Amino acid sequence: MAAALLCAAVAATGCGRPTAAPARTSASFADGGVFVTVTLERSTAHTVAVTATLKPQQPGFHLYSLTLPDQGVAGLGIPTRLAVAPPLSPVGAVTASDRPYGLRLDGLDVTLPVYPDGPVTLHLTTRLAATDDSAPARLRVTYGACSPARCLAPVREHPVTLAVPQI
């Protein structure tokens, strides 16, 4: 009986073999007062999850929302964007880890959609072209960080090039 239980336990755990870690690559940069880490995680032959975490380097700073129009509201604000180029193509829209809220600017009749102060993580599911998975992934990240007192230099279409993870 004990031997049968031991055999069942070994079979359930895979005989002590480690499970394979997901295939992933990542890169980081700092610009405009924000530290950004971009990660690609490949789960199937043609599916690559893109994650970008944007973390203001100073306390009390927020990032503008994905929902902010490209030209801002009344010309104010820098929308957060994550874009991919071939060999990756988006499957659906970019989503964020946090919900934006409306920030009313003192002295102006404008409300801007922003994320809570601190980091925000963007997620995008992409499809990898079947033609060549050895081509690098090219991405662009756009954002602006502000506090109630001031805004930092906006970052527009910062390029990120990463190797596509191999499975």
Side-chain angles (χ1 to χ4, degrees), residues 68-77 79 81:
L68 186 69
D70 287 337
Q71 282 70 41
V73 174
L76 300 172
R81 299 286 186 258

Side-chain angles (χ1 to χ4, degrees), residues 12-135:
T13 61
C15 299
R17 289 180 291 215
T19 57
R24 68 177 65 179
T25 57
S26 64
S28 298
F29 67 90
D31 197 2
V34 176
F35 185 77
V36 179
T37 300
V38 178
T39 302
L40 303 181
E41 186 172 315
R42 190 165 173 184
S43 57
T44 69
H46 299 290
T47 303
V48 178
V50 179
T51 304
T53 299
L54 296 84
K55 183 178 180 184
Q57 293 176 298
Q58 300 175 48
F61 279 77
H62 59 263
L63 294 159
Y64 291 97
S65 169
L66 291 167
T67 62
L68 186 69
D70 287 337
Q71 282 70 41
V73 174
L76 300 172
I78 304 298
T80 299
R81 299 286 186 258
L82 174 63
V84 297
L88 299 178
S89 59
V91 177
V94 177
T95 60
S97 60
D98 292 302
R99 291 187 125 156
Y101 69 94
L103 177 64
R104 184 102 174 132
L105 299 179
D106 291 338
L108 299 174
D109 190 24
V110 175
T111 300
L112 299 172
V114 301
Y115 294 111
D117 289 359
V120 64
T121 300
L122 308 178
H123 304 276
L124 176 63
T125 301
T126 66
R127 179 159 180 79
L128 177 63
T131 55
D132 183 13
D133 70 353
S134 65

